[in-house]
Amino acid sequence: MLERVDKAKKQIHNTVDALGRSVNIMEVCGTHTVAIFRSGIRSALPESVKLLSGPGCPVCVTDQGYIDTVMDLAAREDCLIATYGDMIRVPGKNGSLETMNRSNVHVVLSSDDAVQLACAHPDKTVVFVAVGFETTTPATAVAVMTAEKMDLSNFCILSAHKLVVPAMQALLSDTKNKIDAFLCPGHVSVIIGSDAYRPVVEQFSRPCVVAGFEPVQVMEGIAEICRQLADESPQVKSLYSAVVTAQGNTRAWELIEAYFEPYDGPWRGLGCIPNGTLRLKRQYKRFDALVRFGIEEIPKEEPNGCLCGQVLCGLINPPQCGLFDAVCTPDTPVGPCMVSSEGACSAWYKYGRRGKVHHD
Amino acid sequence: MCLAVPARIVELMDDRGVADAMGNRWSVRTTLLPDVQVGDIVLIHAGFAIATVDEEEARKTWELFAEIAEFQERQAPSSKEEGTV
């Protein structure tokens, strides 16, 4: 194992020396961000290799307007909120789901638990806080399918499900972007398959390398990216062949496509990305919380002074935000990137303040 | 939220089953992997099996989780972790 790390490290140093310029690699996935910090990978890289945290933490990219809508629903007497644990500390206009201290907020580990909650409380309407990328979307689709089969009238979802590839394309379409390559998410790729990144390579000529979360795979992923950049041969490559296939999980994709359709929905910091967000198809609107409660969702500004949006686009690192480690800490988070354990600000706060890291 | 855990399917009835990882057992659904059988090791994400994995890959991940848990205790004993799903 150590030999493989050493070999990758040497390859990275050699290719970057030969390139003679800095290399900006965006790790799209929040779990990669955390794995990179925990393993101390940054300190093993040459100064000229910069790792940028991308928009791959679902909590972080969820628009403020969505958070406020969840808070409004949580304040209703006739609603039960079923949410993944990551969401309960995200600040909304009046505190967070956690500080509201309402007995109608239930943390669930699975969309299936939300359906069970609806079965157990026929007098309330259960709203499932449906966030996440292609990894969690099929689970939401199954929940809607289950509710449909059971003819469960007191279950609905508030969808903020996101698609990874449109976000990568939107980032590269911004002329201010400084991204040379992507380290692609491991588990999202299990669902979408590595072929899903082909349009990014073909349209923007950027390497897209899928890696798992072991430090050795992350190092080898970075080495592969550097090699492709040096050879000027951007490609899609998966180093996570144990679980990632070219086509992905086709059953999961069928379910996403059966229940959801893409639209130009809002992302925190990135605005409305063309076809980047998923909503329920017309024939399933009775399970859509927006329709059920007649809500018009309006994108909201980020909290004053919060630069989560720029962090998510890889334009700045968290310490460059004036709130970081001053008023914004994991105990008193202002923006979502500090709330989520997979958020870039949280990872920098926990691990990046120790030892040698690049702050530029 | 993007973290998935390898676990062995130890019980299965239609698309509902029980998974075991390092002695921890919980209910899972196998709707996304129609061909899965008892004894298979799968990657579980937010209560759903999303891919089959081999024994070797699963063992590596279980070891990594044990290491991370140990590292977290050493490095950040006071920090709160949200339930990763």
Side-chain angles (χ1 to χ4, degrees):
Chain A
M1 186 72 84
L2 274 177
E3 298 92 72
R4 278 172 62 194
V5 174
D6 273 345
K7 190 178 164 206
K9 190 175 161 183
K10 277 196 194 107
Q11 269 176 0
I12 294 166
H13 280 261
N14 291 342
T15 31
V16 170
D17 283 350
L19 260 175
R21 64 174 173 93
S22 67
V23 171
N24 296 313
I25 300 172
M26 176 171 275
E27 82 270 2
V28 180
C29 171
T31 310
H32 270 143
T33 303
V34 173
I36 285 164
F37 271 114
R38 278 177 178 152
S39 55
I41 281 174
R42 277 170 193 267
S43 57
L45 297 175
E47 291 270 334
S48 52
V49 175
K50 320 264 190 233
L51 296 177
L52 310 171
S53 303
C57 154
V59 177
C60 307
V61 295
T62 301
D63 177 70
Q64 196 64 41
Y66 178 92
I67 308 285
D68 289 344
T69 303
V70 174
M71 302 286 291
D72 287 343
L73 290 170
R76 292 177 64 116
E77 294 299 325
D78 56 348
C79 276
L80 293 181
I81 304 294
T83 176
Y84 293 127
D86 311 45
M87 291 297 285
I88 64 163
R89 296 184 64 229
V90 183
K93 55 186 172 187
N94 299 313
S96 64
L97 289 175
E98 188 179 48
T99 57
M100 277 180 93
N101 198 21
R102 298 270 302 181
S103 58
N104 62 346
V105 177
H106 293 251
V107 172
V108 293
L109 295 175
S110 152
S111 62
D112 205 38
D113 295 345
V115 175
Q116 303 302 330
L117 192 68
C119 294
H121 296 275
D123 54 325
K124 304 271 187 184
T125 297
V126 168
V127 180
F128 178 56
V129 180
V131 297
F133 288 91
E134 290 90 335
T135 34
T136 50
T137 313
T140 305
V142 172
V144 175
M145 180 174 78
T146 307
E148 185 191 15
K149 279 184 185 159
M150 294 169 72
D151 204 14
L152 199 57
S153 60
N154 67 324
F155 175 81
C156 60
I157 69 160
L158 187 64
S159 176
H161 281 304
K162 305 291 186 201
L163 298 169
V164 148
V165 171
M168 292 161 70
Q169 290 169 315
L171 285 171
L172 293 177
S173 300
D174 183 344
T175 49
K176 292 198 300 289
N177 93 81
K178 16 178 213 182
I179 304 158
D180 293 311
F182 288 107
L183 186 67
C184 298
H187 293 144
V188 163
S189 304
V190 171
I191 303 291
I192 69 176
S194 52
D195 275 356
Y197 302 106
R198 292 202 180 280
V200 179
V201 174
E202 283 158 16
Q203 198 183 343
F204 298 97
S205 302
R206 302 295 208 286
C208 285
V209 174
V210 181
F213 302 99
E214 286 176 278
V216 60
Q217 270 212 15
V218 176
M219 283 296 280
E220 287 175 347
I222 295 168
E224 170 63 21
I225 284 169
C226 292
R227 185 197 66 75
Q228 289 187 21
L229 289 172
D231 293 350
E232 294 179 4
S233 63
Q235 294 157 33
V236 171
K237 173 118 180 171
S238 173
L239 305 179
Y240 200 28
S241 55
V243 285
V244 175
T245 60
Q247 283 75 39
N249 183 326
T250 49
R251 175 69 185 136
W253 252 122
E254 281 166 14
L255 281 163
I256 292 175
E257 288 184 332
Y259 286 87
F260 290 95
E261 61 184 11
Y263 78 109
D264 305 350
W267 292 54
R268 186 185 294 266
L270 288 91
C272 285
I273 292 179
N275 289 324
T277 304
L278 292 170
R279 64 184 170 201
L280 282 171
K281 282 187 168 172
R282 186 183 296 271
Q283 60 268 43
Y284 301 110
K285 286 292 181 195
R286 64 185 186 281
F287 295 109
D288 188 330
L290 293 179
V291 173
R292 174 100 39 134
F293 295 101
I295 304 163
E296 206 169 310
E297 205 187 334
I298 303 158
K300 295 273 172 59
E301 293 295 314
E302 286 161 38
N304 211 5
C306 170
L307 299 184
C308 277
Q310 292 188 41
V311 170
L312 291 167
C313 296
L315 296 173
I316 62 164
N317 279 328
Q320 289 168 270
C321 173
L323 306 186
F324 180 83
D325 199 10
V327 290
C328 187
T329 69
D331 286 334
T332 56
V334 176
C337 297
M338 187 62 92
V339 176
S340 168
S341 57
E342 291 166 3
C345 297
S346 162
W348 275 83
Y349 186 91
K350 276 189 204 156
Y351 308 108
R353 297 181 307 158
R354 300 187 188 93
K356 178 195 160 200
V357 286
H358 309 313
H359 276 236
D360 49 344
Chain B
M1 199 176 293
C2 300
L3 199 61
V5 185
R8 192 184 301 277
I9 298 292
V10 291
E11 287 176 32
L12 190 61
M13 173 85 76
D14 299 326
D15 65 343
R16 291 179 184 276
V18 174
D20 178 302
M22 300 181 285
N24 300 306
R25 291 190 171 201
W26 70 105
S27 298
V28 297
R29 291 194 68 174
T30 59
T31 327
L32 309 178
L33 288 179
D35 299 329
V36 82
Q37 294 180 354
V38 170
D40 287 350
I41 301 181
V42 293
L43 208 52
I44 311 261
H45 183 276
F48 282 76
I50 58 170
T52 50
V53 286
D54 65 27
E55 188 103 27
E56 167 70 11
E57 180 65 22
R59 194 185 48 74
K60 277 194 292 188
T61 311
W62 288 330
E63 283 171 7
L64 190 67
F65 279 138
E67 245 175 68
I68 287 172
E70 197 184 312
F71 179 88
Q72 274 180 334
E73 284 202 356
R74 263 203 332 264
Q75 293 285 313
S78 62
S79 74
K80 282 188 216 160
E81 286 287 322
E82 290 80 41
T84 308
V85 291

